[in-house]
Amino acid sequence: QQPVQSPQAVILREGEDAVINCSSSKALYSVHWYRQKHGEAPVFLMILLKGGEQKGHDKISASFNEKKQQSSLYLTASQLSYSGTYFCGADNTDKLIFGTGTRLQVFP
Amino acid sequence: GAVVSQHPSWVICKSGTSVKIECRSLDFQATTMFWYRQFPKQSLMLMATSNEGSKATYEQGVEKDKFLINHASLTLSTLTVTSAHPEDSSFYICSALPRNTEAFFGQGTRLTVV
């Protein structure tokens, strides 16, 4: 089943923060996060494998809850380059199912 | 990271014709590849899992006779859209999913059926 993301869309000014949530109806093996720009392949952001895990690099971080059904992506001090559509990916060991997507627009 | 090469990057074909899209793993062997389809402003929807040397596994609602998948070698998977119609126009993308790491994507193919 497809994970549900919220919000569906976010509009930010440069420097503002955003949180994108991903919810699965069942526990996952791992959760991935990707950003996609129009007409291009998704770009990998990070993967979380363990319940309760939190990780990040630069100004992008993510968490995975203990039950491995919820994940959140945190974008801090957003930049224009953060614009795009963000997808979580639910990995149940045999395939990757993408979430519903969150469209993020960052304006100067 | 692993490199997946997909060709063509775009194709325009006439309604009723067939189109083949190739996906190659350049620096690793892929026993399994995944094919996704993405309509404008929508998510990537998994169409099928391509298995080397055996039949592909199709997701519910995907017509296996229309979207033919062949995975004849460890480095090549192909998707053929048969008797294409305008509603098949979409962005098709393949990927490999090694264990415990990111998915590696091809560049994607923009198919337009006129």
Side-chain angles (χ1 to χ4, degrees):
Chain A
Q1 288 186 330
Q2 186 178 33
V4 177
Q5 290 181 231
S6 63
Q8 290 184 318
V10 184
I11 297 175
L12 299 174
R13 291 227 176 259
E14 267 188 301
E16 292 182 334
D17 302 340
V19 180
I20 299 171
N21 301 300
C22 174
S23 180
S24 171
S25 59
K26 57 182 180 180
L28 304 173
Y29 176 78
S30 70
V31 65
H32 300 215
W33 284 97
Y34 296 85
R35 176 172 59 222
Q36 185 185 32
K37 299 209 183 245
H38 179 70
E40 299 179 5
V43 172
F44 175 74
L45 297 175
M46 65 185 72
I47 181 173
L48 297 102
L49 292 161
K50 300 177 183 177
E53 184 177 7
Q54 296 184 58
K55 67 194 302 185
H57 55 85
D58 292 331
K59 297 172 183 176
I60 300 176
S61 61
S63 64
F64 199 15
N65 76 338
E66 288 289 344
K67 291 186 176 181
K68 302 183 77 174
Q69 290 181 261
Q70 311 271 350
S71 179
S72 294
L73 184 71
Y74 306 92
L75 307 172
T76 59
S78 59
Q79 306 166 17
L80 295 176
S81 61
Y82 285 8
S83 293
T85 303
Y86 289 77
F87 294 102
C88 63
D91 180 357
N92 281 321
T93 75
D94 59 343
K95 54 190 175 184
L96 190 64
I97 303 298
F98 286 92
T100 50
T102 297
R103 188 175 180 186
L104 181 77
Q105 291 180 280
V106 182
F107 291 96
Chain B
V3 178
V4 177
S5 179
Q6 183 176 341
H7 293 280
S9 56
W10 60 271
V11 58
I12 301 172
C13 71
K14 290 186 177 181
S15 188
T17 61
S18 296
V19 173
K20 180 184 285 188
I21 302 169
E22 292 189 347
C23 181
R24 293 181 186 275
S25 54
L26 299 185
D27 54 358
F28 68 102
Q29 293 182 327
T31 56
T32 302
M33 296 289 283
F34 300 90
W35 287 95
Y36 295 86
R37 177 171 56 183
Q38 185 178 35
F39 292 108
K41 297 186 178 181
Q42 293 188 22
S43 183
L44 296 97
M45 300 305 295
L46 181 64
M47 299 175 65
T49 303
S50 170
N51 304 299
E52 189 269 334
S54 64
K55 291 182 179 180
T57 304
Y58 290 82
E59 295 298 304
Q60 191 173 8
V62 177
E63 301 174 59
K64 59 180 68 175
D65 294 332
K66 181 169 184 62
F67 299 100
L68 301 180
I69 291 173
N70 184 278
H71 196 146
S73 77
L74 288 171
T75 59
L76 175 64
S77 175
T78 61
L79 168 67
T80 301
V81 183
T82 62
S83 187
H85 291 284
E87 57 265 30
D88 298 323
S89 297
S90 187
F91 184 68
Y92 294 86
I93 192 164
C94 63
S95 81
L97 183 64
R99 182 54 40 218
N100 297 337
T101 188
E102 64 186 277
F104 296 100
F105 292 93
Q107 298 90 330
T109 298
R110 172 74 55 194
L111 171 64
T112 303
V113 184
V114 297

